[in-house]
Amino acid sequence: MSNKVIELQNIRRDFTVGDETVHALRGVSFDITEGEFVTIMGTSGSGKSTLLNILGCLDTPTSGEYLLDGIPVRSMSKSQRAILRNRKIGFVFQNYNLLAKTTATENVELPLMYNPDISSSERRKRAEEALDAVGLGDRKEHKSNQMSGGQMQRVAIARALVNNPAVILADEATGNLDTRTSYEILMLFQELHRKGRTIIFVTHNPEIANYSSRNIRLRDGHIIEDSVNTNVLSAEETYRTLPKDIDD
Amino acid sequence: MNYTNLFKIALKALAHNKMRAFLTMLGIIIGVASVITMIALGQGTQKSIQKEISSMGSNIIMIHPGGERRGGVRLDPSEMQTLKIQNFEALKKECMYVAAISPYATASGQLVCGNNNYPTSVTGAGIDYIEIRQLTIEDGTMFTESDIKTSAKVCVIGKTIVDNLFPDGSDPIGSTIRYNQVPLKVIGVLESKGYNSMGMDQDDIVLAPYTTVMKRMLAVTHFNGIFASALSEDVTEYATDEIRTILRREHRLKDSDPDDFMIRTQQELSDMMNTTMNLLTTLLACIAGISLLVGGIGIMNIMYVSVTERTKEIGLRMSVGARGIDILVQFLIEAVLISVTGGIIGILLGCSACLAVKYLANWPVYIQIWSVILSFAVCTVTGIFFGWYPARKAANLDPIDALRYE
């Protein structure tokens, strides 16, 4: 039995909007073990963003317990959660969220800048390794405004890898990209998965579920499906079958 | 948290946004420089106006023997013989608010030089007299203390006298003019001052050592009066009181006795001076205040906007593990760097603008240390405060909200 990276125990999250209480999550429980590639799917309003925020320690549940790498999160202060995010979580956002006019290396170094235990030479080394891992070894000094969407997303993935996190959280990571680039990014995620990374990929695109090892579907704050994918497709193969863009 | 890292983060953020940093700094630079320049110009104007009014003799104090009653008849003050050399020396030694003091004795008559003659009066004076009356020696020299001691037969003459006694344009210096039986050697010529506001020709003047006039011409031991100038317009009143106290003591007057002398000042002139100076001081304070206010608001706006537009960046930094305090410290470091650098550049710019005005436009400019310190302090404190205040709000933001901020 491998390590449980994430344990959710009956998570509820209520928001108060005016006089009304909105129940975004109504008791969600699941565990994710190390090395899984999980897609969390659902239509908008299903609670998947709220779930992602809680998984990413950006938000705390109203009730229930969340253990990240064995650490209970619910009772933590804001600062403690910030440190936890810094050490245990890598985020990949839909709109990349890179620092403007900043080189790829500096963008990737960013999480390590907030970790005083890491020296500047170590920081540099790890950032370059992460960039090599996402296939941007030759674009280390390119600035974020000199890169394509796919390249920016690779930088963002390198940034998510650089602190060697327990889990990588991707929020619609292919949402802003065209089909071919989306599959390139998916290939990268599958490759990371093969190397043993734990990945949670939140999306509303049902196709992506074919490429992950497990699929969780949410509706109205409940889990309606939690299934292991027995027939994982290879993003690389799909990519090859794609017609080449006429524009290319 | 490691402050070196935060310092590096702040430096990088500034380096990647040079334009924004520069524009923010510009607000501070302009604020500081304009305050320094305006105040320096204002101070220069104030000083030159002060000088102009002073040159009209606004700080002159005139002491005359007072009219004394003898059996109900008021005597002509000029007949009074109460102002003596000892009084002058006591005043000269003891007065603290007096810048210059000179006795004054005058003899009227005909001046003769060769074929030419001219009716005028010879003024017996001390060395300070030209300072008190704001006269300038144009040519030659003023007589000296030893000329006074020896009652030397020398004189300094004004333009009108030169024109009348030397109509052919010959150099008057070195020639001898005669007053009654006394020959006087001309050793200096005064710069022309023209007519005064009362229509009196200020160039119709012959200055000789007072001892010469008193001993050789008038054969008297008293002065017609004493002229003095106060250190400045605003202490004229203290100087007057001081002179009164000393003279009353010297004249051994009882408390019940009235003064046996009169002290007159150019009250009207010095009142005008004080009013003008008060107006100018108020004007300067207003200029400084408005410049600081405008500068401060400019800094406030740009600081506030630049932090607000970076909300998304703040969200990102928080999501990768920056704590609220890290964000706050980063923005505070940026604000301090921008404000202090801007303030220093502002001081340099302001001072060079002042010097440029001074040497290129020949305007009177006085850089005031207080304006440098005040403007620097106000602008940097405003800059830092309005860098810190929105950053504090940002640091307390929920990272989710900050990330979604558009």
Side-chain angles (χ1 to χ4, degrees):
Chain A
M1 178 83 190
S2 38
N3 274 342
K4 279 181 189 170
V5 178
I6 280 170
E7 289 179 73
L8 289 183
Q9 296 159 1
N10 197 23
I11 294 292
R12 288 174 176 276
R13 182 69 172 101
D14 302 334
F15 294 102
T16 314
V17 182
D19 298 333
E20 279 181 64
T21 305
V22 179
H23 304 283
L25 294 175
R26 303 164 190 250
V28 173
S29 307
F30 60 84
D31 297 341
I32 292 176
T33 48
E34 204 177 332
E36 276 192 289
F37 182 177
V38 184
T39 43
I40 297 179
M41 295 210 306
T43 51
S44 70
S46 59
K48 65 182 191 307
S49 293
T50 309
L51 181 59
L52 180 87
N53 289 337
I54 288 174
L55 288 173
C57 303
L58 293 169
D59 197 6
T60 42
T62 310
S63 69
E65 188 52 273
Y66 167 33
L67 300 174
L68 172 62
D69 218 11
I71 305 160
V73 175
R74 202 168 89 88
S75 53
M76 279 187 159
S77 73
K78 268 180 137 180
S79 299
Q80 285 171 315
R81 277 188 282 136
I83 294 170
L84 194 66
R85 284 199 294 277
N86 187 252
R87 309 290 197 274
K88 300 278 182 198
I89 293 170
F91 279 101
V92 181
F93 300 97
Q94 180 173 3
N95 49 3
Y96 331 126
N97 275 333
L98 299 184
L99 292 177
K101 299 179 203 162
T102 306
T103 64
T105 313
E106 281 176 321
N107 263 302
V108 176
E109 277 183 346
L110 188 67
L112 303 182
M113 291 295 279
Y114 292 102
N115 184 347
D117 301 334
I118 292 172
S119 71
S120 59
S121 54
E122 164 87 2
R123 194 163 62 221
R124 184 106 201 150
K125 199 179 121 235
R126 281 172 64 171
E128 287 178 356
E129 282 170 4
L131 279 169
D132 288 333
V134 299
L136 282 181
D138 53 342
R139 291 211 156 65
K140 285 174 185 142
E141 299 306 318
H142 283 222
K143 292 193 174 166
S144 41
N145 47 342
Q146 297 165 332
M147 286 186 282
S148 67
Q151 288 167 338
M152 285 201 271
Q153 196 58 296
R154 282 168 193 270
V155 175
I157 294 168
R159 182 179 64 197
L161 287 173
V162 77
N163 55 347
N164 204 9
V167 58
I168 294 172
L169 287 173
D171 182 9
E172 298 279 13
T174 56
N176 277 11
L177 302 170
D178 59 71
T179 319
R180 287 180 68 85
T181 322
S182 294
Y183 278 103
E184 286 174 24
I185 296 296
L186 267 182
M187 277 157 63
L188 181 57
F189 274 114
Q190 283 195 326
E191 190 192 330
L192 293 173
H193 176 224
R194 266 199 304 281
K195 287 179 183 163
R197 297 279 178 187
T198 312
I199 298 164
I200 301 177
F201 199 112
V202 175
T203 181
H204 66 271
N205 182 355
E207 267 181 59
I208 291 170
N210 296 325
Y211 303 93
S212 67
S213 64
R214 180 177 163 195
N215 185 22
I216 295 173
R217 288 166 73 89
L218 283 178
R219 186 185 290 161
D220 296 332
H222 293 288
I223 293 179
I224 54 165
E225 184 193 328
D226 184 350
S227 57
V228 173
N229 187 358
T230 47
N231 179 28
V232 181
L233 297 182
S234 161
E236 199 177 346
E237 277 168 25
T238 320
Y239 177 75
R240 283 209 203 101
T241 62
L242 284 175
K244 286 219 167 181
D245 270 356
I246 302 153
D247 293 345
D248 275 357
Chain B
M1 186 64 195
N2 188 341
Y3 286 97
T4 344
N5 267 6
L6 285 177
F7 196 79
K8 274 187 206 162
I9 290 171
L11 270 186
K12 274 185 188 168
L14 285 180
H16 289 311
N17 289 286
K18 292 193 188 77
M19 195 60 185
R20 184 178 61 206
F22 171 72
L23 286 178
T24 317
M25 224 183 260
L26 198 62
I28 294 166
I29 293 173
I30 299 292
V32 172
S34 67
V35 170
I36 292 175
T37 319
M38 292 309 287
I39 299 284
L41 276 175
Q43 200 72 29
T45 313
Q46 186 172 20
K47 287 214 171 148
S48 68
I49 290 177
Q50 191 166 25
K51 217 170 115 194
E52 289 297 314
I53 298 180
S54 282
S55 76
M56 295 162 80
S58 60
N59 56 351
I60 291 182
I61 301 167
M62 289 163 291
I63 307 151
H64 291 287
E68 196 178 330
R69 283 167 195 275
R70 288 234 179 106
V73 179
R74 188 179 277 276
L75 301 176
D76 181 354
S78 62
E79 297 297 311
M80 304 298 299
Q81 305 188 356
T82 48
L83 291 178
K84 306 278 191 187
I85 187 90
Q86 304 91 287
N87 300 156
F88 164 68
E89 266 154 16
L91 288 175
K92 187 173 179 151
K93 212 167 80 189
E94 295 176 35
C95 284
M96 287 166 60
Y97 291 108
V98 167
I101 185 162
S102 162
Y104 171 79
T106 178
S108 320
Q110 210 72 8
L111 275 181
V112 183
C113 176
N115 298 334
N116 304 300
N117 66 86
Y118 186 72
T120 187
S121 55
V122 176
T123 305
I127 291 164
D128 284 355
Y129 191 78
I130 60 165
E131 185 189 331
I132 298 166
R133 296 295 298 268
Q134 311 267 345
L135 302 169
T136 321
I137 304 277
E138 189 180 70
D139 214 355
T141 53
M142 180 61 181
F143 47 79
T144 61
E145 200 66 59
S146 77
D147 290 335
I148 292 173
K149 269 198 191 116
T150 58
S151 314
K153 289 176 271 187
V154 291
C155 68
V156 174
I157 58 178
K159 214 81 187 170
T160 306
I161 309 291
V162 175
D163 292 346
N164 283 291
L165 292 186
F166 304 92
D168 54 349
S170 63
D171 188 3
I173 300 210
S175 30
T176 304
I177 56 178
R178 256 181 329 108
Y179 172 80
N180 293 345
Q181 301 310 313
V182 187
L184 296 169
K185 189 179 165 200
V186 179
I187 57 166
V189 175
L190 294 168
E191 198 173 82
S192 175
K193 275 193 99 177
Y195 287 75
N196 72 4
S197 54
M198 306 300 288
M200 278 155 66
D201 183 3
Q202 298 182 90
D203 296 330
D204 183 3
I205 183 173
V206 178
L207 292 180
Y210 64 90
T211 46
T212 314
V213 173
M214 286 162 72
K215 283 183 198 162
R216 297 185 193 273
M217 298 177 187
L218 298 171
V220 294
T221 56
H222 64 272
F223 307 131
N224 290 69
I226 294 174
F227 274 63
S229 63
L231 286 173
S232 68
E233 283 68 28
D234 34 332
V235 298
T236 307
E237 215 164 302
Y238 299 123
T240 314
D241 289 345
E242 195 175 49
I243 291 168
R244 175 171 290 120
T245 315
I246 294 167
L247 278 182
R248 284 186 69 91
R249 190 197 65 211
E250 288 290 309
H251 289 178
R252 297 197 174 77
L253 296 177
K254 283 184 232 124
D255 285 350
S256 56
D257 291 340
D259 292 347
D260 60 352
F261 52 87
M262 284 185 306
I263 302 176
R264 295 205 194 109
T265 55
Q266 305 270 56
Q267 192 62 47
E268 202 180 331
L269 270 180
S270 61
D271 281 354
M272 180 174 100
M273 171 82 124
N274 287 337
T275 324
T276 316
M277 287 306 118
N278 285 343
L279 267 174
L280 277 170
T281 310
T282 319
L283 180 75
L284 273 187
C286 288
I287 291 174
I290 292 170
S291 306
L292 282 179
L293 191 72
V294 171
I297 289 173
I299 296 160
M300 186 175 97
N301 283 345
I302 196 138
M303 278 292 191
Y304 195 89
V305 169
S306 87
V307 174
T308 312
E309 74 159 25
R310 291 170 72 184
T311 308
K312 211 165 175 156
E313 178 196 326
I314 292 168
L316 166 71
R317 289 180 184 278
M318 285 178 143
S319 72
V320 301
R323 295 167 304 164
I325 182 87
D326 298 332
I327 300 290
L328 186 60
V329 170
Q330 177 196 338
F331 278 77
L332 204 55
I333 292 173
E334 286 185 30
V336 169
L337 283 177
I338 286 183
S339 303
V340 172
T341 320
I344 291 170
I345 297 176
I347 290 176
L348 295 177
L349 193 73
C351 291
S352 16
C354 289
L355 293 178
V357 168
K358 191 170 189 173
Y359 291 109
L360 298 180
N362 250 327
W363 271 35
V365 167
Y366 292 88
I367 297 168
Q368 298 295 298
I369 291 298
W370 63 264
S371 74
V372 174
I373 294 170
L374 182 76
S375 58
F376 182 81
V378 170
C379 289
T380 45
V381 167
T382 319
I384 293 167
F385 180 77
F386 283 99
W388 167 78
Y389 177 73
R392 196 191 59 132
K393 265 174 66 184
N396 286 335
L397 267 181
D398 204 343
I400 305 167
D401 296 335
L403 270 173
R404 289 218 187 100
Y405 187 88
E406 289 298 340

